[in-house]
DNA sequence: GTCTATACGTCGATAGAC
DNA sequence: GTCTATCGACGTATAGAC
């Protein structure tokens, strides 16, 4: 992975810069953009003011690096579920039910509620790319399921993909309002039950609802 | 409505207090809690510092009044859709497709991303009550639809109600990330198509999907 | 590269005049 | 009730020593 040919562009990253980025990732998740001060980042990272302004032009530049990194991380963990073996339903279900720190919310979704982030094209771009990719990827999985005859032809992959992504993001909102993960779980359960009704009988594993239990 | 008997508890509200609350509602929607300073509120409301600390104990007290008011407003407008005549599907569809300022996001949902709000029980309570009521009300509508034979028996009203509420909240997130209302509309469209598949044939109006067009 | 010192604005709250 | 003046703390950024 760290080929000698790439050595000129793959310098060993300075530990300080690295600490700044990961600490900023944490704080942005906890407190959002406006709620995160350079001071707080430096204190937690244990570095001085000068280091930050040496490696980055300022708060937004550092935040940009942190948001990019977080978006990439989320993409990877989503892809892990969506590219798993199994039916389209199974893969979407794997994404919806994968382990999450529900009450902490989505580190990327949270950024969309931050005025300074959404208004700055450089800060918003990683969010846009991440969610755009996610909706597209889920739509692919659903469309593939249709081609395989697993899912009903009437299903609109693009629309339902947006629904699936929205259920997760909205589930976080409902859970945080209630200070309880139950609404998140309920929203996911409801979405899966509605999706299960689109599964062609006889294909893949068993997703029958409570009404069909015996 | 303003009966003489209630006159002792229904004093004419001071205009200044009123201005402070509605201005705070606006600013909380635009900038969130951490992003809204008393200074900004006072400037926009056109009142002095002293007035605010006369009517309220401080920022959080004023914010509490504003959030409560906003939550009540949202409840009313949601109830308007959900109590409309028509089938359960029609009423849920009315809620999902009602006019919204999508890119501005949900004034209540946004608060859930604010650390200071969620951590303060007094500030969080209105959010909890509002979303709790909403999920319950949608669940009622769905359950009623089932009793009337409009919706499939297998449908779980509580779970699907959470899904419906989550789709709206998540739709806002996706739309703001994209700076485009399209993902919101797609998420709603997907949810409605999935719900339409739960409608008992022959009941109520026509919700057939694209696959059934002729 | 990393540090401390400093600048200058804003934050949220209080004091006290009118 | 409403205003202005003022407070101590914190926000983001720069300067310059080491």
């Amino acid at each position: 992975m760290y080929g000698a040919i790439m050595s000129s562009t793959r310098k060993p990253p300075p530990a300080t810069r690295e600490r700044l980025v990961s600490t900023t990732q944490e704080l942005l998740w906890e407190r959002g953009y406006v709620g995160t001060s350079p001071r707080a980042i430096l204190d937690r990272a244990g570095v001085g003011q000068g280091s930050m302004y040496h490696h980055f032009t300022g708060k937004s530049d550092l935040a940009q690096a942190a948001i990019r990194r977080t978006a990439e991380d989320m993409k990877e963990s989503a892809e892990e579920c969506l590219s798993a073996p199994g039916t389209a339903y199974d893969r979407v279900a794997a994404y919806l039910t994968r382990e999450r720190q529900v009450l902490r919310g989505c580190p990327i979704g949270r950024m969309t509620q931050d005025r300074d982030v959404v208004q700055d094209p450089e800060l918003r771009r990683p969010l846009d790319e991440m969610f755009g990719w996610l909706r597209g990827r889920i739509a692919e999985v659903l469309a593939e399921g249709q081609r395989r005859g697993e899912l009903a032809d009437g299903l609109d992959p693009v629309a339902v993909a947006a629904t699936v992504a929205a259920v997760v993001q909205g589930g976080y909102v409902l859970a945080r309002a209630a200070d309880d993960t139950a609404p998140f779980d309920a929203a996911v359960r409801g979405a899966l039950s509605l999706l299960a009704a689109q599964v062609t009988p006889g294909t893949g594993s068993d997703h029958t609802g409570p009404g069909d239990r015996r």
Side-chain angles (χ1 to χ4, degrees), chain A:
Chain A
M1 199 181 240
Y2 293 91
I5 295 167
M6 297 294 286
S7 60
S8 59
T9 57
R10 282 287 189 183
K11 302 162 197 163
T16 299
R17 190 192 158 93
E18 184 53 35
R19 286 179 59 74
L20 283 168
V21 173
S22 60
T23 302
T24 304
Q25 287 184 277
E26 289 174 20
L27 282 169
L28 286 180
W29 193 4
E30 291 172 21
R31 312 186 188 176
Y33 184 79
V34 273
T36 299
S37 68
R39 192 62 266 154
I41 296 169
L42 298 169
D43 284 351
R44 187 178 293 192
V47 303
Q49 196 108 340
S51 294
M52 170 179 145
Y53 285 101
H54 172 73
H55 292 290
F56 303 94
T57 67
K59 175 183 174 177
S60 74
D61 189 36
L62 172 52
Q64 210 182 304
I67 292 175
R68 264 200 239 279
R69 167 97 43 103
T70 301
E72 283 307 313
D73 293 349
M74 292 214 22
K75 232 167 120 167
E76 278 179 33
S77 68
E79 178 61 14
E80 217 171 291
C81 298
L82 293 169
S83 67
T87 66
Y89 175 92
D90 289 336
R91 291 150 76 190
V92 171
Y95 171 70
L96 281 172
T97 60
R98 86 148 196 261
E99 204 176 317
R100 286 184 168 87
Q101 299 184 56
V102 172
L103 290 184
R104 295 186 66 182
C106 173
I108 294 299
R110 150 156 234 176
M111 294 294 104
T112 65
Q113 303 300 327
D114 230 306
R115 205 170 199 239
D116 296 354
V117 171
V118 176
Q119 280 187 347
D120 181 336
E122 293 303 308
L123 290 177
R124 188 176 61 79
R125 182 174 304 133
L127 317 182
D128 192 8
E129 284 177 3
M130 153 65 190
F131 282 125
W133 170 85
L134 179 64
R135 288 186 286 122
R137 189 71 186 87
I138 297 174
E140 267 179 26
V141 171
L142 293 171
E144 196 181 314
Q146 276 182 320
R147 283 197 305 272
R148 289 178 180 166
E150 297 163 13
L151 292 173
D153 283 340
L155 181 146
D156 177 346
V158 169
V160 173
T163 304
V164 168
V167 162
V168 171
Q169 294 300 314
Y172 283 126
V173 170
L174 300 180
R176 283 176 64 93
D179 193 27
D180 185 349
T181 60
F184 182 99
D185 296 332
V188 165
R189 191 152 28 90
L192 282 177
S193 71
L194 293 175
L195 190 58
Q198 302 290 315
V199 173
T200 310
T203 63
S205 37
D206 178 80
H207 319 302
T208 52
D212 296 66
R213 253 199 305 257
R214 46 202 133 163

